[in-house]
């Protein structure tokens, strides 16, 4: 149900009949297209954004062909995944099922129509929600490997968009602080994980 309603909201908002091509989505699509043609990011396709969103777009274009439709379908998938993760996170935190369901639809039905286009802001959501959900599991189990993986996902949010990524990483670190006996170990593992993709980002 979450997937179906999210997809409906995205399809309505991004329909070419109601929402024509926008500059920002055309810029992202062009940058991804340049990479599929062997170009280099920040040289042949300049952007002030971090690279992960452009690389993801290029991967989708490589698989499906370069088109605005492919970019919009990619964004629809991102929103569906974000809805599922929001539901899973809130249920893990013991939220009321009805409230968790409403919150899972909130990005697609309340936020996305305001900015209905392929954008790093929406690409960021699955990484951030995935990091928050993984952190809760890591804290419950006191699992160092999950903490390290959580840090990696947090670092990837910064490779999608700087501002939201910084806020997400700060929240992950603050969430790990309350347990005094394990504070240094948990924060150290999270920071180490965050630095892995930042110091050596994945190459397309």
């Amino acid at each position: 149900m979450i997937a179906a309603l999210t997809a409906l909201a995205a399809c309505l908002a991004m329909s070419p009949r109601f929402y024509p091509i926008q500059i920002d989505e055309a810029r992202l699509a062009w940058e991804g297209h340049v990479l599929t043609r062997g170009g280099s990011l920040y040289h042949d396709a300049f952007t002030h954004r971090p690279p992960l969103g452009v690389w993801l777009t290029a991967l989708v274009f490589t698989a499906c062909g370069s088109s605005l439709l492919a970019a919009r379908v990619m964004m629809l998938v991102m929103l569906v995944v974000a809805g599922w993760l929001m539901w899973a996170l809130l249920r893990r935190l013991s939220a009321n099922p009805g409230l968790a369901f409403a919150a899972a639809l909130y990005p697609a039905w309340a936020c996305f129509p305001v900015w209905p286009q392929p954008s790093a802001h929406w690409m960021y959501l699955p990484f951030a929600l995935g990091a928050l959900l993984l952190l809760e599991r890591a804290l419950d189990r006191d699992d160092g490997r999950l903490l390290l993986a959580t840090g990696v996902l947090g670092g990837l949010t910064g490779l999608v968009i700087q501002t939201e990524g910084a806020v997400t990483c700060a929240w992950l670190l603050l969430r790990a602080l309350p347990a005094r006996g394990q504070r240094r170990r948990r924060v150290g593992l999270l920071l180490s994980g965050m630095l892995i993709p930042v110091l050596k980002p994945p190459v397309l």
Side-chain angles (χ1 to χ4, degrees):
M1 182 64 72
I2 289 171
L5 291 175
T6 299
L8 176 61
C11 288
L12 290 174
M14 290 189 298
S15 169
R17 176 181 294 181
F18 305 110
Y19 198 78
I21 296 170
Q22 301 296 302
I23 292 175
D24 278 3
E25 69 171 329
R27 183 179 296 130
L28 178 65
W30 171 251
E31 293 160 359
H33 175 73
V34 168
L35 293 192
T36 65
R37 300 298 179 181
S40 176
L41 190 59
Y42 307 118
H43 183 273
D44 303 301
F46 178 77
T47 177
H48 65 284
R49 297 261 170 82
L52 187 53
V54 181
W55 289 341
L56 288 174
T57 304
L59 285 173
V60 170
F61 284 175
T62 300
C64 305
S66 298
S67 69
L68 288 174
L69 176 61
R72 289 186 175 191
V73 170
M74 173 187 68
M75 207 55 45
L76 186 154
V77 172
M78 293 276 186
L79 283 170
V80 169
V81 172
W84 281 339
L85 289 170
M86 179 81 83
W87 163 263
L89 176 63
L90 291 173
R91 290 300 292 143
R92 188 170 188 86
L93 296 173
S94 301
N96 175 278
L99 292 176
F101 185 81
L105 296 179
Y106 179 77
W109 284 90
C111 301
F112 187 70
V114 179
W115 188 261
Q117 55 186 290
S119 165
H121 298 285
W122 305 119
M123 287 182 175
Y124 146 87
L125 277 179
F127 291 98
L129 290 168
L132 294 172
L133 181 60
L134 195 59
L135 178 63
E136 295 304 319
R137 291 180 178 172
L139 294 178
D140 286 347
R141 302 176 187 177
D142 197 23
D143 189 324
R145 289 174 297 180
L146 287 181
L147 280 168
L148 191 66
T150 299
V152 171
L153 274 178
L156 289 175
T157 64
L159 288 182
V160 176
I161 186 165
Q162 305 98 316
T163 49
E164 284 97 323
V167 171
T168 299
C169 288
W171 172 253
L172 293 173
L173 292 169
L174 288 171
R175 180 71 181 89
L177 285 179
R180 294 182 180 179
Q182 296 290 328
R183 183 174 295 178
R184 286 187 180 180
R185 173 177 168 272
R186 289 178 174 180
V187 170
L189 286 168
L190 281 172
L191 282 173
S192 298
M194 290 171 186
L195 289 175
I196 290 172
V198 174
L199 294 180
K200 190 174 181 181
V203 178
L204 180 65

